[in-house]
Amino acid sequence: MPVDRTTARARQGADILLLSASNYPALPIYPYAFVQVSAVAARHGRTAARLDLLHTPRESWRTVLRAALERTDPLLIGIHLRQLDSIFIWNYADYDLPGAPPVRRNSYWPFHDTRHLIALLRELTDRPVMVGGFGFTTRTRDLLERLRPDFGVTGEPDEILARLDDVLARRDLDRIPNLAHRSGTGYTVNPRVFLPPADHPEYTEAVLRDLLDFYGPERVTGPGAEVHVAVEIQRGCPYRCYFCTEPMVKGRRHRVRDLDVVMADITFLADRGVSRIWLVCSEINIGSNALLFEMAARMRRLNRGRAVPVHWTCYLLPNPPLARAEIRMLLESRFEPSWNQFTSYHDENLRRTRVPYRTRHAIEAQIGWLEEDEAHRRAHGLPVPPRRLDMFLGNTYATPETVATTLRTINELRLGERFEDSFITRATRVFDIGDGLLADTSAAAYSVGPEGLLDRIDLVHPTFSYPPALVEALGGARAVDEFFAHVEKTFLSRAYRARLDWRAFLSRHTDGQRLAAWCTRLRAAPGAPEPGPPPGREPGEDTAVRTAVHTVRTALAADGGTALLTGLRTGTPPDAGTDADTDTGTGALARALAELAIDTEADRVRAVFAALGLPGYWDDRVARTPYDIHAALAARFPTADEVRAAARAAAGPGDPALPLLAVEYCLYDNNVQLRPEYAPLLFPG
């Protein structure tokens, strides 16, 4: 916890001790407020020290805080309350949500942790406590009453730190913008001013040492550095997206920071081994792509001749659009496309959520960046990372029509086949930006605390609203979660197919005697045509499919399949890999055996699928997506059991085991869930 003395007068200890107990454990980020407040303090002749408590167990806080106070002997303690919760419903649900990431439920309560921190400080010191930060600014008056600090900061602290002597002396407090202070038994919140970004560099050696200690140097400056270090480029946003509080916190006028100052910070960091930069702004291309292009030109100049080039990223709107040549130019400047979550591919839904783009912009940007980034990586010998398709399909204005239209569009574009995973936000974190609850969600909103559901709306606590139209259509919030979990892994990505267990599939639908009989039949027909690549696989994976088929045929020729069947039961068939769920392991061999066996009755299988409304399915499985299969079956059958009954009837005389196995294969491979309530959300009209 070094004290920053690089631009301020020397003092034993520090004038300000900055603390944070609000870092999100699932995504730890060194507080950029520490960087900015330290720089503002130094501009006014004040020293600062910084301590984030994320890596400190709560039972050790008292000891660590006592040591920090003795070390710094501050005049003022500043607490950064970055956010009031994670904004993700799965952190606060009373059950494990289907499709949720592996996060610990009921474990992230930054307001409560900050309150505990203040209580400890009151026991350890009589120094005044000041609270600020993005989260604090969203609910200033509520938090003042509940946290009971000596002072609060709404928005930027520049004016307050410029007059810190007056603040500490409690002199002329009503004349200091953005300051909140005790007044009688309550608090006075002074008028708010919105300030532009800093006109001076913010990073210093001391701050950088803190940042490296927080992440670990290897994650920031090592060969495989993954951490993006924040540098502000723009502040404020003129848009009114219904789910966003940034205009309230940062102002509706966007102000661009002096790019020479921005580059001074980036150069300082780059010269010390930092290779990834996050440009802090609401969106870098508000109204125009000019700032984006100017930064690209400056980053190209910065990287010219540099042994370790600096990669950069930021939030980027899909409108104004970018031509493919412009995307390629940005990628050549080491720009990395950033996370963006579109609310839907439905224009009316986009209009109601008040985002400044429409479906055509979102699709053009989605596909353009996806294709150009992949081509750029392959051309430069870089690995193509796993892709994730993120969407806010659970926005307040979502309806069965908006969801169904979006899914149909994704299927038409075959977008789901391009992503390894998907992430759907299925409930809105509700805020009040001055004119009531966002999107008038009061009827559906609810708040939760560490002990569970609260009896009233309390925006200091996590407060969520599921889309009312989807709740009504599906029968409840849990049903919305289940539906979106199905959509994520089945239609928006290849996640479901990547986790199929074909050995377990065979075990469920066959027995040892039947498998042995099929192996005997296959051995008698060694010239049977090999199946094509399975659905959802990329062209480069054909070799693995052929390898599995070859392994099965070789095993059949050797001993009639005895060793193969033994291996499928134990998970280690001969001449195969050890991973049961890869294309070289038992999963691939089980799938190949099923396909070869089904092919011995190909004509019956074709007739069955024709009767189900899927003519040609078995001969060209790769041509149809899970969405196509769902749509075709849902048009004729309300449930999967009725599909099975129709298949049994269509199989005709004789043992129907193989045609029925083919149908089970189709249902399993496409994660078919035929439920009457799902149809309106999957298929428009």
Side-chain angles (χ1 to χ4, degrees):
M1 190 183 63
V3 174
D4 189 347
R5 305 182 185 281
T6 53
T7 56
R9 63 180 176 81
R11 176 182 179 276
Q12 182 66 34
D15 293 314
I16 304 168
L17 173 59
L18 298 174
L19 301 173
S20 173
S22 60
N23 224 308
Y24 182 38
L27 186 63
I29 298 174
Y30 182 78
Y32 188 41
F34 281 9
V35 181
Q36 296 193 301
V37 174
S38 296
V40 173
R43 293 275 289 181
H44 296 290
R46 301 292 183 174
T47 57
R50 297 152 294 276
L51 175 62
D52 190 292
L53 292 166
L54 175 65
H55 303 309
T56 303
R58 204 174 191 204
E59 59 269 20
S60 300
W61 280 14
R62 180 183 296 274
T63 300
V64 170
L65 288 171
R66 181 183 288 112
L69 290 166
E70 291 174 355
R71 161 84 172 82
T72 59
D73 187 25
L75 301 175
L76 175 72
I77 299 167
I79 297 178
H80 175 53
L81 182 50
R82 181 176 184 266
Q83 57 202 83
L84 297 176
D85 52 72
S86 72
I87 78 168
F88 296 129
I89 183 65
W90 43 72
N91 282 103
Y92 307 103
D94 58 2
Y95 58 94
D96 290 327
L97 299 184
V103 295
R104 228 176 101 216
R105 288 192 291 109
N106 202 36
S107 62
Y108 180 56
W109 301 97
F111 156 66
H112 297 80
D113 288 340
T114 299
R115 185 169 60 184
H116 177 65
L117 171 60
I118 293 174
L120 282 177
L121 290 170
R122 295 301 191 202
E123 297 175 13
L124 295 171
T125 181
D126 59 0
R127 303 300 170 142
V129 172
M130 179 181 288
V131 181
F134 200 112
F136 179 81
T137 300
T138 62
R139 299 300 298 173
T140 297
R141 292 189 179 275
D142 278 352
L143 289 165
L144 286 169
E145 294 297 333
R146 301 192 198 189
L147 295 175
R148 305 303 294 174
D150 298 284
F151 304 103
V153 182
T154 304
E156 299 82 17
D158 302 47
E159 300 288 338
I160 296 167
L161 294 180
R163 297 180 57 183
L164 187 58
D165 286 337
D166 287 340
V167 172
L168 295 174
R170 291 172 170 76
R171 184 171 54 233
D172 295 330
L173 295 183
D174 290 339
R175 299 185 181 184
I176 303 176
N178 296 2
L179 178 70
H181 56 93
R182 290 179 186 266
S183 179
T185 59
Y187 286 86
T188 295
V189 179
N190 291 351
R192 175 77 194 275
V193 298
F194 293 95
L195 301 176
D199 59 359
H200 53 82
E202 295 176 327
Y203 278 93
T204 64
E205 298 287 357
V207 168
L208 181 58
R209 286 199 302 275
D210 274 352
L211 185 147
L212 295 175
D213 287 344
F214 178 84
Y215 289 113
E218 282 299 308
R219 296 185 61 207
V220 183
T221 60
E226 56 185 311
V227 169
H228 288 84
V229 178
V231 175
E232 189 173 28
I233 186 172
Q234 185 172 268
R235 186 178 295 177
C237 180
Y239 300 125
R240 296 176 180 268
C241 305
Y242 95 92
F243 45 79
C244 182
T245 61
E246 182 152 344
M248 179 184 76
V249 175
K250 299 289 186 71
R252 296 197 179 277
R253 175 186 170 195
H254 73 282
R255 298 175 169 93
V256 178
R257 190 179 181 195
D258 185 325
L259 294 189
D260 289 338
V261 178
V262 172
M263 293 309 299
D265 268 331
I266 294 176
T267 302
F268 173 88
L269 295 167
D271 289 346
R272 288 153 181 80
V274 175
S275 59
R276 280 183 155 71
I277 297 294
W278 179 277
L279 291 181
V280 176
C281 57
S282 177
E283 308 280 355
I284 196 172
N285 59 336
I286 292 175
S288 165
N289 287 320
L291 180 58
L292 177 66
F293 295 156
E294 174 61 23
M295 274 306 301
R298 287 176 177 253
M299 292 303 295
R300 283 196 301 272
R301 290 197 293 272
L302 174 77
N303 283 324
R304 195 171 295 137
R306 190 175 286 274
V308 179
V310 179
H311 299 254
W312 59 293
T313 190
C314 58
Y315 286 128
L316 181 69
L317 286 166
N319 182 35
L322 291 166
R324 290 296 186 102
E326 292 169 333
I327 292 176
R328 290 193 289 272
M329 177 272 292
L330 290 167
L331 291 169
E332 290 295 338
S333 76
R334 311 284 180 167
F335 182 81
E336 298 173 338
S338 61
W339 173 84
N340 207 333
Q341 196 178 67
F342 301 125
T343 53
S344 70
Y345 292 149
H346 186 284
D347 279 348
E348 176 60 18
N349 183 245
L350 295 173
R351 184 191 68 78
R352 295 192 73 190
T353 61
R354 302 201 295 268
V355 294
Y357 56 83
R358 292 297 178 261
T359 298
R360 67 184 186 279
H361 303 124
I363 290 174
E364 183 180 348
Q366 190 92 62
I367 295 176
W369 279 106
L370 186 72
E371 293 180 349
E372 293 300 334
D373 182 58
E374 183 171 325
H376 174 82
R377 288 175 177 276
R378 296 195 188 283
H380 291 80
L382 301 172
V384 177
R387 309 288 191 179
R388 191 179 77 181
L389 177 56
D390 292 352
M391 300 203 80
F392 188 8
L393 290 183
N395 65 79
T396 294
Y397 299 107
T399 66
E401 180 189 352
T402 69
V403 174
T405 299
T406 300
L407 295 180
R408 181 191 62 190
T409 302
I410 288 171
N411 187 62
E412 290 172 350
L413 297 169
R414 294 307 196 247
L415 265 181
E417 300 173 32
R418 299 184 178 205
F419 293 89
E420 283 76 19
D421 209 347
S422 173
F423 171 94
I424 294 176
T425 298
R426 67 278 305 265
T428 301
R429 203 308 185 179
V430 177
F431 297 98
D432 179 356
I433 56 176
D435 53 0
L437 300 189
L438 287 177
D440 191 24
T441 52
S442 54
Y446 64 93
S447 301
V448 294
E451 306 305 319
L453 189 68
L454 302 182
D455 59 7
R456 63 182 179 86
I457 299 298
D458 179 4
L459 297 182
V460 164
H461 287 86
T463 302
F464 295 95
S465 173
Y466 278 81
L470 300 191
V471 171
E472 180 180 359
L474 293 171
R478 187 183 293 236
V480 173
D481 288 316
E482 292 172 351
F483 171 76
F484 278 141
H486 176 60
V487 168
E488 284 173 335
K489 61 186 179 182
T490 309
F491 305 129
L492 300 192
S493 70
R494 301 195 299 268
Y496 170 76
R497 280 179 168 160
R499 295 167 175 81
L500 293 178
D501 185 343
W502 288 100
R503 188 158 62 97
F505 170 82
L506 269 185
S507 297
R508 283 195 302 274
H509 298 291
T510 64
D511 54 39
Q513 183 178 358
R514 194 180 294 275
L515 277 175
W518 291 345
C519 286
T520 299
R521 182 188 298 186
L522 283 169
R523 191 181 185 195
E530 296 183 357
R537 304 304 173 102
E538 296 191 4
E541 298 181 41
D542 292 5
T543 300
V545 175
R546 289 195 297 270
T547 298
V549 171
H550 175 74
T551 301
V552 171
R553 289 195 178 283
T554 301
L556 292 172
D559 61 4
T562 301
L564 173 66
L565 295 178
T566 300
L568 288 177
R569 286 195 298 272
T570 63
T572 55
D575 302 319
T578 57
D579 185 347
D581 297 318
T582 67
D583 285 322
T584 58
T586 54
L589 298 184
R591 181 178 192 148
L593 177 58
E595 291 174 341
L596 288 171
I598 292 168
D599 278 338
T600 63
E601 296 190 6
D603 288 342
R604 290 182 75 194
V605 169
R606 292 187 189 102
V608 166
F609 280 112
L612 298 179
L614 291 170
Y617 165 77
W618 189 252
D619 296 309
D620 195 10
R621 300 183 292 283
V622 74
R624 308 202 195 193
T625 66
Y627 182 93
D628 295 330
I629 301 302
H630 277 75
L633 293 177
R636 296 186 176 209
F637 307 100
T639 67
D641 283 342
E642 295 197 32
V643 174
R644 294 182 178 99
R648 192 172 293 107
D655 183 2
L658 283 171
L660 295 183
L661 182 67
V663 172
E664 294 295 348
Y665 178 111
C666 175
L667 297 176
Y668 182 60
D669 193 44
N670 293 283
N671 197 21
V672 173
Q673 294 186 25
L674 298 182
R675 296 170 57 172
E677 69 271 25
Y678 280 10
L681 285 84
L682 293 178
F683 313 116

